[in-house]
Amino acid sequence: MLKPQATSTRELVNLDGLWSFALVTDNEKEQAWTEPLQKGLEAPVPASYNDVFLDRAIHDHVGWVRYQRQVIVPRGWSQERYFVRVEAATHQGLVFVNDTFVVEHIGGYTPFDAEITHLVKPGQAFRLTIAVNNELTNTTIPPGKIEVSANGKKKQTYLHDFYNYAGLARSVWLYSVPEQHIEDITVVTDVQGSAGIIKYTVKASDSVPSQQIKISVTDEDGKVVGQASGAQGEVKIDSVKLWQPGAAYLYQFQAQVRSADAQLTDTYSVAAGVRTIEVRGNKFLINNKPFYFTGFGKHEDTAVRGKGHDPAYMVHDFQLMDWIGANSFRTSHYPYAEEVMDFADRRGIVVIDETAAVGLNLAISSGLFGGVATPTWSHETCNDKTREANAQAIRELVARDKNHACVVLWSVSNEPSSSEEGAREYFEPLDLISDLFDVLCLNRYYGWYTQMGDLEAAEAKLEEELLGWEKKHGKPMIMTEYGADTLAGLHSLHDLPWSEEFQVRFYKMYHRVHDRIESMIGEQVWNFADFQTSIQIFRVDGNKKGIFTRDRKPKTIAYTLRKRWMGIKAQTNRVSSHSDSTTL
Ligand code: GCB
C-alpha cells in the first residue's frame, strides 16, 4: 500500500487542522451521523481527543465519535481519480462523503483509503465525516472487554497498561492519481560482492502493459545508477553504498508508467536502502556484521495530544536517541506513524516493527491481582476471530512497511501467552515467515515485578533463565523490555525502589548479566519515556519506567546508559573499521 505522494503526476491535499467533533450517543442512529455538526466542539487532527477537552465524559467515552469538515476537490482534477486517505482511526473508522458511506476499517494503527471520484466533481465541496470507535472486545486487536454498569454507563477494560487513546491521531489526506497508475511497489535488496541488487515488483492498473513500466534508480546526488523495465525485475547498482545502522544511505527507486508513445502517465518513488539481514547461529548480522541492538521500547505518547503524531516530538526523540547512543527501537505496541518509519530510514535507526497484538495473555493480570487465571485461548477469550484480526493486522503492517530499510524484524505480538494450551494452534497459521522466526525477544522484570528490590536474587534468576534459553534453542536473544518505575527527582541513599539510584543499580545488574551471555544480541530498555496508562492502583499518573520523563527530561539513568551504549558503539565502529580494512 503506497503512501500518498506529490509527484509530477499526483497531487496531495492535507486535511489536518480543526474538525467539528461530537460524541455519538448510543441511541443515535447511524443515518444521523452524516448530518452537519453545528457550532459545537472542534477537535485537532492529528491528535487523540481524550486529553484535549476538559469534559470527563469525553475523556472516558466508550463508543463512537464523529469528526467532520468541508473539503473541496481541486478543480484541476477532471482527468484524475481521487481518494480520501486516513492514516489511522483508532480503532475502527467509517468514512462518509456527504450522506454516502464509502469505507470501513478495523484496526487502529494502519492506514486505509476510499475512492470518491464518482461522488464529487472537481471544484465541488463536500462534507467529510469520519466516525471513529474506540471499543476493544475479545475479537479486536488489541483485545479488551466492555462492561455496562448498573447506571447504563459503558466501561472499557483491557490487558495492556498504556492508555486507550482514540480518535484521528494521524493525518487525513485527499489525493489524486492518474487513471493509469502505480498501485504498489515492493523492493527487496541484496548484495553481491561490491554490487547492490534491488529486486522489485511494480503493480500498476490492470490496463498497463508490463513493458510500459520503467524503473530508474538514483543515488543521493541524483545520479542515475541503474535502470530496468517491466513489472518485475532486478536493478544492479555497481559499487553500492550500503544502508548501515547509524549511517543511512538511501537510493530513490523511481517507477514510471509511460504511454505507448512514451509520454509520462504516472511516477512514484520509494526510498530504498540496500542492506542484508541474516541470522547465523546465535548472531544477528546486518550487512554481514554482528549487530548488537541498543535502545528502547517506545510509545507514541505525549501530554495533551495523546497518540497524535507530532513531528517536533519525533525529531526530538530521535535527537535523544542519538545523544544516548541508541541504535534501535521497537514500535511497541502498535505500528507507528509512517513518518516515523521514513525518518528512521533516513536516520539509520534500526526498527523492530510490531503489530497491535498486545494483551493476549490473561494469566498476567491474574498473576498481578491474584485469582484464578482465565484461559487466554478459548472460545470466550482469544478465539479464531481474534486470530483473524491478528492475521489482518500482520498483513496490513507488512503491506505498509515492507520497503523500509530500517525494519529488520517483525514482531507479530507482544507477550502472548505462549506457554498456555492452545498457543500453538493460535500462532501456527499466523506464522507466514516461520523460516525467519528465529530471534527470541524477552521481556523480563526480575527485581521489579518479582524479587522486588532484591537485585542479588534477581541477578541469579535472570542469568539462570537466559542460560536456559541459550541451551535450549541456541538462538540469538534480545532483551526487548526490562525496567523499573522511577519517579524523577526521588532519591535514596539506600537505593530504594522508585528512586533514581535504584533504576541505575537495576540496569547495571541486567547489563552485567547480558555481558555474560554469548547469545545476547541486544537490549532495549522499557521505556524511552514515562507514558500515560489506564487508571490502576500501581500507576501514579502513568507508567514511570521512562529513561526520560514524559516531557523528555533525562533521569539519572540516562547518563549511565549513554556511557554504556556509546562504549558499545565505539567498539562496534572499531571492530567494523578493522574488519573493513582487513577485507580490503
Ligand atoms: C510489560 C508490557 C508493557 C508494560 C510493562 C510494564 O511487560 O509489555 O506494555 O508497560 O510490562 O511496565 O508493566
Side-chain angles (χ1 to χ4, degrees):
M1 179 177 219
L2 298 179
K3 188 176 176 218
Q5 195 175 79
T7 72
S8 56
T9 58
R10 296 166 171 239
E11 283 178 46
L12 262 181
V13 179
N14 181 264
L15 302 181
D16 295 351
L18 290 178
W19 291 49
S20 299
F21 176 84
L23 299 187
V24 173
T25 53
D26 274 346
N27 45 17
E28 234 173 306
K29 294 266 169 300
E30 198 178 310
Q31 292 90 305
W33 294 2
T34 58
E35 280 167 14
L37 281 168
Q38 310 288 359
K39 284 201 189 158
L41 297 172
E42 293 182 46
V45 175
S48 308
Y49 61 76
N50 310 75
D51 290 351
V52 169
F53 302 102
L54 303 187
D55 186 349
R56 183 78 195 264
I58 298 178
H59 182 264
D60 294 350
H61 180 66
V62 179
W64 291 97
V65 300
R66 51 189 179 126
Y67 288 78
Q68 198 174 71
R69 61 164 285 166
Q70 290 288 311
V71 179
I72 298 179
V73 177
R75 64 181 178 168
W77 285 10
S78 55
Q79 301 302 309
E80 314 301 314
R81 290 173 61 180
Y82 31 96
F83 297 74
V84 170
R85 157 106 166 186
V86 182
E87 299 287 355
T90 318
H91 297 278
Q92 182 182 0
L94 298 178
V95 178
F96 303 86
V97 167
N98 296 320
D99 291 329
T100 311
F101 161 75
V102 291
V103 71
E104 174 182 16
H105 181 262
I106 295 175
Y109 305 97
T110 40
F112 57 101
D113 52 22
E115 181 163 10
I116 63 159
T117 319
H118 52 295
L119 293 173
V120 201
K121 292 198 167 44
Q124 277 186 353
F126 68 95
R127 191 170 65 256
L128 178 61
T129 306
I130 305 180
V132 186
N133 185 298
N134 63 355
E135 293 177 350
L136 297 173
T137 68
N138 68 326
T139 59
T140 58
I141 289 293
K145 194 169 169 187
I146 295 169
E147 276 152 337
V148 182
S149 44
N151 61 5
K153 222 176 136 207
K154 285 201 254 179
K155 192 166 182 290
Q156 174 77 67
T157 54
Y158 37 89
L159 290 155
H160 51 80
D161 72 340
F162 62 91
Y163 186 76
N164 187 33
Y165 280 115
L168 297 175
R170 299 179 189 160
S171 291
V172 181
W173 304 91
L174 177 69
Y175 72 96
S176 74
V177 297
E179 179 61 41
Q180 290 198 320
H181 62 274
I182 296 156
E183 288 175 5
D184 199 13
I185 297 176
T186 307
V187 296
V188 178
T189 66
D190 199 2
V191 176
Q192 287 171 5
S194 62
I197 308 291
I198 301 182
K199 294 191 188 111
Y200 73 87
T201 309
V202 175
K203 177 160 178 6
S205 313
D206 290 345
S207 53
V208 175
S210 173
Q211 69 273 19
Q212 287 181 13
I213 295 173
K214 307 288 172 201
I215 307 300
S216 77
V217 176
T218 47
D219 67 13
E220 287 189 353
D221 299 323
K223 198 173 130 234
V224 177
V225 291
Q227 282 178 315
S229 93
Q232 253 187 351
E234 232 179 69
V235 179
K236 187 170 169 214
I237 305 167
D238 291 327
S239 310
V240 70
K241 290 205 174 89
L242 296 179
W243 186 95
Q244 302 273 18
Y249 193 92
L250 292 170
Y251 291 92
Q252 289 300 320
F253 175 95
Q254 188 184 45
Q256 296 189 338
V257 175
R258 297 235 163 223
S259 63
D261 60 350
Q263 296 301 309
L264 180 67
T265 313
D266 192 19
T267 175
Y268 190 97
S269 284
V270 167
V274 179
R275 50 102 181 102
T276 60
I277 307 290
E278 190 192 337
V279 173
R280 199 184 296 156
N282 64 0
K283 296 281 170 272
F284 189 86
L285 310 181
I286 300 184
N287 299 329
N288 245 341
K289 291 176 199 145
F291 180 71
Y292 191 87
F293 293 75
T294 56
F296 301 94
K298 281 187 100 264
H299 264 303
E300 290 188 313
D301 173 272
T302 55
V304 185
R305 77 201 75 216
K307 298 211 168 301
H309 173 68
D310 180 328
Y313 268 100
M314 176 183 78
V315 171
H316 190 61
D317 284 3
F318 275 71
Q319 287 278 306
L320 291 173
M321 287 196 274
D322 267 0
W323 172 82
I324 207 168
N327 60 21
S328 66
F329 68 90
R330 175 170 60 120
T331 69
S332 42
H333 294 305
Y334 37 81
Y336 289 2
E338 268 185 276
E339 288 88 338
V340 178
M341 308 306 288
D342 290 341
F343 200 52
D345 274 347
R346 296 202 293 278
R347 303 303 305 170
I349 290 280
V350 167
V351 176
I352 302 178
D353 207 2
E354 185 158 285
T355 70
V358 53
L360 281 71
N361 195 331
L362 298 176
I364 290 188
S365 66
S366 59
L368 283 174
F369 300 113
V372 183
T374 319
T376 305
W377 319 110
S378 80
H379 186 66
E380 292 71 38
T381 51
C382 294
N383 56 29
D384 289 354
K385 281 199 177 144
T386 327
R387 184 183 50 215
E388 185 35 45
N390 202 153
Q392 182 63 14
I394 298 171
R395 283 193 287 270
E396 290 188 21
L397 176 69
V398 175
R400 195 195 73 165
D401 289 350
K402 61 190 172 187
N403 293 329
H404 286 286
C406 65
V407 176
V408 301
L409 279 172
W410 303 105
S411 164
V412 297
S413 174
N414 178 68
E415 294 180 7
S417 182
S418 52
S419 55
E420 248 185 85
E421 190 97 353
R424 178 160 290 280
E425 288 72 12
Y426 182 94
F427 277 103
E428 222 158 34
L430 294 183
D431 189 2
L432 303 174
I433 47 169
S434 56
D435 55 324
L436 303 176
F437 209 70
D438 37 16
V439 174
L440 281 187
C441 292
L442 299 166
N443 298 353
R444 290 298 178 266
Y445 289 91
Y446 294 118
W448 191 255
Y449 291 126
T450 59
Q451 294 81 35
M452 180 16 139
D454 183 351
L455 292 179
E456 211 176 300
E459 182 162 355
K461 279 278 177 202
L462 174 66
E463 182 154 19
E464 184 190 324
E465 186 189 347
L466 294 181
L467 287 172
W469 287 120
E470 181 169 64
K471 193 158 167 229
K472 184 159 184 206
H473 294 295
K475 288 185 177 183
M477 298 188 282
I478 308 175
M479 188 61 70
T480 35
E481 276 184 28
Y482 57 119
D485 284 274
T486 304
L487 198 59
L490 184 72
H491 295 283
S492 159
L493 285 173
H494 297 298
D495 297 357
L496 289 177
W498 287 90
S499 67
E500 297 202 26
E501 288 75 12
F502 180 78
Q503 195 182 23
V504 169
R505 212 154 59 86
F506 174 97
Y507 277 112
K508 283 190 168 164
M509 179 279 275
Y510 271 76
H511 297 154
R512 277 197 299 276
V513 178
H514 294 176
D515 291 346
R516 293 198 290 262
I517 308 280
E518 239 316 271
S519 305
M520 286 306 283
I521 57 143
E523 53 200 43
Q524 291 186 332
V525 300
W526 190 255
N527 186 285
F528 175 76
D530 293 345
F531 60 89
Q532 195 49 269
T533 62
S534 61
I535 298 167
Q536 296 174 30
I537 48 169
F538 56 98
R539 298 275 186 254
V540 185
D541 190 31
N543 188 311
K544 297 283 188 249
K545 295 194 185 69
I547 302 308
F548 299 96
T549 57
R550 201 179 190 206
D551 61 353
R552 279 46 177 176
K553 303 281 191 307
K555 297 181 191 170
T556 308
I557 182 62
Y559 300 93
T560 313
L561 287 175
R562 182 169 195 258
K563 191 161 172 238
R564 174 173 169 83
W565 291 347
M566 284 297 192
I568 291 175
K569 199 178 220 172
Q571 202 181 344
T572 317
N573 289 344
R574 256 201 313 278
V575 171
S576 65
S577 63
H578 174 72
S579 65
D580 278 353
S581 56
T582 46
T583 325
L584 293 172

